[in-house]
Each structure stands twice: as C-alpha cells, then as structure tokens.
Amino acid sequence: MKRYIKLITFGFVAMGIIFSCKKVENGFLSNQIRYRDSPIKIQKGITVQTKPVDNDGSSAPVTYELLDIRDAVTKKHAELLYTNYERYIFISQFDVNRDTTVELLNKHRQLLNAPPVEFNTHTGAFTFYGTTANVAVGTYEFDIRATNENGSKDFKNIGQFSLYDGPVAEQSAGGGAWFKDGSSASGDIGEPEVKIKKTSNEGTLIILKIVDKNGTPFNPKKNEFIKRGDRNSFDTFARFHPLVLTDSTMACNFEVVPFPLVAGPPGQGYTIYYRIPGNFAKLDPGLTPTPDRGYSINPRFTFRIYQEGTYEVTVRIKNATRDVL
C-alpha cells in the first residue's frame, strides 16, 4: 500500500515537472488595437496632434511603426505626405514679448526639411504640420505594426484621416466714422469690406491694400491714410520686420502664425485703425452735414491669419471716393 502511494505521488511530481517546462506566453498583444476617433478630421495648413492609439490592454511597453498611408479612394501610396517641405521647429522657449527681432527669434527655432506628418512610435499618435497645405484634400487610410514582448502584429486599414480646407483667417466686425476737422462732431459711415485671399502656401507675407468704393488704392507712401494717435495700426503688429510700402500697398513679413501674434492695448485687441484726411477722399453725398471736404474718414477693421503663406488683404471703404485735392 505504501509503495502504491509513493508511485502516485511520484506521478504527480513528474507531471508537475512536465507542465512547468511548458513555455509561458510573454505578455499580451491585442488583436483589437484601434483608433477610437477614426476617421480623424484634420484641417490643412495648421498644426494638429491626434489622440494616441487605444492598445486594448496590451502589455506595455508597446511600440508602433507606421507602415503606409494611402489615398482611401485610389489606394495609391500618399506620396505628398512623405515629401519633404521646409518648416520651422522651435528648439527652445520663445517669449512673444521679448523676442521681437528675427535675430532673437532665430535663436529659438531651426529650419527643418521634413514631411508634413510625423508619427509617434510610443503612442501611435500623428502630428500634422502647417505644410499639409501642400497636400490634396481627401481621405487617407493607414497601416501600422504594433510590437511588444509578445511579438508583432500588423493592422491594415486600422484608421483613416480626412484632410479638409478650413478657414485660413478670422474676421471680426469693423466700423467707420467721419470726424469734422477742428471740432468734436462725428458720425457713422459703416464698416469697410475686408477680403482676404491666400495666393501662395509659401512665405509669411501679408500685402494690405486700402481702397475706395471703386477699388482705387490709397497711397501709403504719400500718407493718404495715417495712424490714429495711440490706436493700433498695421505697423503695430509688424513685430519682426518693418513694413514695406509701395504706392498702393503695405507688406508685412509676419514670420510666425498667428498674425497678429499679440493683441494691442485693452479695448483695441487686434483691430487696426486708420484715418484718411479729407483732402484725399470724399464721402458720398448725405453722409456728412455739409458737402465740404473738411471731414476725415476713419475705418477700422480686424482680421487674424492662422496659416503660413502669402495673403492679399483688401479693405474697401464702400462709401468714399479717392479724390486728391
């Protein structure tokens, strides 16, 4: 009997040794890794960072590799998302109130030639940069590979993102007034019409033109419109370069988006104010108490640019005619 018990005990011990030699699976790598917010909406021309991938409880650490991005319709490799474009990256903290010259700005940034999208191998998140302005609108699909101590798994068509054209600028309500020379009398003339046109993805340039109701430009070089005391002007927001004047325009190289970068004094914000003396323009009949030219025209307008590029901004005073005395 004792011998029988010993044999049974030995059998259990042997089985334990056999099972203990069986290879144990290292960690866990889910088959359900996914992007919860797919399809991801991405506005072209601005910096956007997406949410990390959901690893569905996979054993950390998990690393990710972007295998391919394709046009979701044609299934062709999205070459433009892999093409290098020049863009700046900040390498140290930039102080908007102190670093107000190009020389100071350049101490904090570095020119990079790189694709418009970056993939984070630790989180599976994407960062889209302003150079996506060069990529076609559309929906794109992508594949990734996930790897941990368990091994690697490929996830084809794991998610999609859609590139769309959003607003390149924001406009707020403006206004206008006449003021009678030598008195405190004034009246309303309505807000000017402001049109913003992006002409190129290249550069960081705004070309501002102030025109009369017929589209005839006022000449900034001849002071046909002037600053209004301590109010903001276009020059107020030209932080890194002086304005370049022509007979019809003022150009500002703004270097860094958004423009304006910093608001003006309280109560003025991003609004730009100008005065057109009465000897350079006349208002439509009936807007002023008398028909003489002793009235200045005072437009104000507000806009903000959010993408790099070259822009034409035209401010049209709808009820005035340029007429130089």
Side-chain angles (χ1 to χ4, degrees):
M1 183 66 178
K2 290 181 178 180
R3 183 180 178 187
Y4 178 71
I5 292 173
K6 288 180 179 179
L7 287 172
I8 293 175
T9 302
F10 177 77
F12 279 120
V13 171
M15 288 176 66
I17 293 172
I18 291 171
F19 282 115
S20 67
C21 292
K22 183 178 179 181
K23 185 176 180 180
V24 177
E25 183 179 14
N26 293 324
F28 168 67
L29 185 59
S30 174
N31 291 319
Q32 301 300 318
I33 290 176
R34 61 195 181 278
Y35 287 82
R36 288 185 175 272
D37 53 347
S38 176
I40 308 165
K41 305 295 184 183
I42 305 295
Q43 181 179 333
K44 289 176 52 176
I46 63 174
T47 299
V48 179
Q49 188 164 10
T50 70
K51 295 178 181 179
V53 68
D54 181 349
N55 69 13
D56 192 41
S58 298
S59 300
V62 184
T63 58
Y64 304 95
E65 179 184 354
L66 179 64
L67 300 179
D68 191 31
I69 304 175
R70 294 176 300 279
D71 184 295
V73 177
T74 66
K75 307 302 179 183
K76 292 183 179 179
H77 176 70
E79 187 61 40
L80 290 179
L81 285 165
Y82 289 84
T83 301
N84 288 340
Y85 304 97
E86 284 192 346
R87 59 179 165 85
Y88 279 104
I89 59 169
F90 280 93
I91 56 177
S92 60
Q93 187 170 355
F94 166 60
D95 188 328
V96 296
N97 295 310
R98 185 185 62 194
D99 301 317
T100 57
T101 67
V102 174
E103 290 74 23
L104 290 171
L105 176 64
N106 285 341
K107 291 180 179 180
H108 301 286
R109 67 179 185 174
Q110 177 181 318
L111 191 61
L112 187 69
N113 199 31
V117 60
E118 198 172 78
F119 182 76
N120 190 314
T121 59
H122 301 289
T123 67
F126 293 87
T127 301
F128 295 86
Y129 294 97
T131 46
T132 52
N134 298 289
V135 183
V137 166
T139 300
Y140 298 85
E141 61 189 26
F142 56 93
D143 313 329
I144 69 168
R145 174 175 294 148
T147 301
N148 68 359
E149 60 181 336
N150 180 275
S152 297
K153 291 181 180 178
D154 291 353
F155 297 85
K156 188 174 179 62
N157 295 339
I158 189 174
Q160 293 185 336
F161 58 84
S162 296
L163 286 178
Y164 69 93
D165 281 322
V168 298
E170 177 184 38
Q171 291 180 234
S172 300
W178 57 260
F179 288 95
K180 177 63 175 175
D181 296 344
S183 78
S184 59
S186 65
D188 183 70
I189 61 171
E191 63 181 291
E193 175 187 77
V194 179
K195 291 186 176 180
I196 300 173
K197 180 182 179 182
K198 187 176 186 180
T199 61
S200 171
N201 293 327
E202 303 300 319
T204 48
L205 188 68
I206 296 171
I207 302 169
L208 176 64
K209 182 186 295 185
I210 299 178
V211 304
D212 71 2
K213 66 180 185 180
N214 301 311
T216 303
F218 293 95
N219 190 332
K221 292 179 75 173
K222 293 185 177 180
N223 293 322
E224 293 185 10
F225 53 90
I226 57 178
K227 298 178 183 179
R228 286 182 57 187
D230 61 353
R231 301 292 181 95
N232 294 334
S233 66
F234 194 36
D235 190 59
T236 302
F237 303 118
R239 301 175 65 81
F240 305 107
H241 299 275
L243 296 182
V244 177
L245 307 184
T246 71
D247 290 339
S248 60
T249 65
M250 297 185 293
C252 173
N253 183 345
F254 56 92
E255 290 286 347
V256 178
V257 289
F259 173 90
L261 189 61
V262 179
Q268 297 185 36
Y270 304 108
T271 300
I272 293 172
Y273 300 79
Y274 277 110
R275 172 170 286 133
I276 301 171
N279 58 320
F280 294 115
K282 59 183 180 181
L283 285 163
D284 289 349
L287 286 175
T288 54
T290 61
D292 65 88
R293 296 288 290 275
Y295 299 90
S296 66
I297 300 167
N298 299 264
R300 63 183 185 273
F301 49 93
T302 308
F303 67 91
R304 217 169 174 211
I305 301 290
Y306 291 108
Q307 294 184 20
E308 294 181 357
T310 299
Y311 297 85
E312 292 178 355
V313 178
T314 304
V315 178
R316 187 173 75 91
I317 303 171
K318 296 180 287 188
N319 42 27
T321 304
R322 181 179 180 268
D323 183 24
V324 180
L325 294 178

